[in-house]
Amino acid sequence: DLALPDGVGLKMAGWLMGVNFKRITGADLLKDILAIAVAQNRRVAVFNWRSGLSSSEDIRRMLAEKYKNLQALAVEVEQGAAMSEDELRRVKEFRPDIIFSTLGAPYQEKFIFYNLPNLPTAKIGMGVGGSFDFLTGKLSRAPQVLRIIGLEWLWRLIKQPRRWRRIYNAVIVFPVKFLIFYCKNLSQL
């Protein structure tokens, strides 16, 4: 339901197209949305990847400590699997206004697409990947200087080398494909 322009490759593509948009990371926006949820008494449901770094219990504990009075529910789900009827009923009874999915791309986007219509009280769904891992302390975020200069991906690669394929696609494949497209269509742009 909400996709953020958080990649440095996308920012570079924007520059070439004459658009200088602000890079907003999911980790930063997540904290803002949680603070708004507390202030506006909104209910938040987190669909957490069962095999992720942070467990649902880690997320519940962190939310209780850092976001006092937040009405939150964290549910464990599998990547690529449908929610069970019991899980769906439990979430519906909770009546969330906002849902977050930690399943990672593209699973979290598909999960939101297929499940948001089944949750009529939810007004927004957002894939947050590993953002809760930063909040629970299971993973450290890149130093501010690396975030500012667009090298957060390098920090993630060092900390989580198993992400190399995703980082390669975002940092190498996407910019190359965009440059090919841009050069082919330069006269029409």
Side-chain angles (χ1 to χ4, degrees), residues 64-85:
E65 290 171 10
K66 293 184 180 177
Y67 297 92
K68 306 250 187 276
N69 302 319
L70 177 68
Q71 299 175 68
L73 174 70
V75 178
E76 301 268 329
V77 294
E78 274 306 321
Q79 269 186 345
M83 258 193 306
S84 73
E85 288 299 318

Side-chain angles (χ1 to χ4, degrees), residues 14 21 37 74 76 78 97 126 139 154 168 170 177 181 185:
F21 59 80
E76 301 268 329
E78 274 306 321
D97 299 297
M126 182 176 157
L139 192 62
L154 181 58
Y168 173 78
K177 285 185 175 184
F181 165 81
N185 296 291

Side-chain angles (χ1 to χ4, degrees), residues 21 50 70 78 82 84 86 88 97 119 138 146 154 158:
F21 59 80
R50 186 169 280 124
L70 177 68
E78 274 306 321
S84 73
D86 287 341
L88 183 58
D97 299 297
L119 302 169
K138 298 285 182 176
L146 291 180
L154 181 58
I158 292 166

Side-chain angles (χ1 to χ4, degrees), residues 3-184:
L4 298 174
D6 68 347
V8 70
L10 191 56
K11 180 138 178 93
M12 286 185 226
W15 284 335
L16 285 173
M17 300 293 291
V19 178
N20 187 15
F21 59 80
K22 182 177 177 172
R23 190 173 160 261
I24 302 169
T25 66
D28 292 329
L29 186 59
L30 172 63
K31 291 191 296 189
D32 293 341
I33 292 174
L34 289 170
I36 291 168
V38 170
Q40 295 184 0
N41 200 31
R42 302 288 181 182
R43 294 170 176 260
V44 172
V46 179
F47 295 97
N48 186 50
W49 181 29
R50 186 169 280 124
S51 299
L53 290 177
S54 299
S55 69
S56 289
E57 183 55 37
D58 294 332
I59 293 171
R60 278 192 289 273
R61 191 174 25 256
M62 176 279 301
L63 290 173
E65 290 171 10
K66 293 184 180 177
Y67 297 92
K68 306 250 187 276
N69 302 319
L70 177 68
Q71 299 175 68
L73 174 70
V75 178
E76 301 268 329
V77 294
E78 274 306 321
Q79 269 186 345
M83 258 193 306
S84 73
E85 288 299 318
D86 287 341
E87 289 170 326
L88 183 58
R89 184 175 17 81
R90 183 173 154 221
V91 175
K92 278 184 175 181
E93 288 171 2
F94 177 70
R95 301 175 44 86
D97 299 297
I98 302 163
I99 65 169
F100 295 113
S101 175
T102 70
L103 301 177
Y107 304 102
Q108 61 196 16
E109 290 78 13
K110 290 178 181 181
F111 181 89
I112 291 167
F113 178 81
Y114 289 112
N115 288 287
L116 196 61
N118 299 323
L119 302 169
T121 60
K123 306 297 184 267
I124 188 169
M126 182 176 157
V128 294
S131 297
F132 276 104
D133 295 332
F134 299 138
L135 292 176
T136 62
K138 298 285 182 176
L139 192 62
S140 61
R141 221 163 150 204
Q144 184 71 25
V145 69
L146 291 180
R147 288 186 255 160
I148 290 170
I149 63 173
L151 292 177
E152 190 167 8
W153 62 267
L154 181 58
W155 178 265
R156 295 290 298 269
L157 181 61
I158 292 166
K159 292 291 189 177
Q160 296 176 297
R162 72 183 186 289
R163 296 174 55 93
W164 73 268
R165 187 172 287 119
R166 182 164 189 256
I167 291 169
Y168 173 78
N169 284 329
V171 176
I172 305 296
V173 174
F174 173 78
V176 168
K177 285 185 175 184
F178 177 78
L179 284 173
I180 291 168
F181 165 81
Y182 182 78
C183 291
K184 282 183 180 178

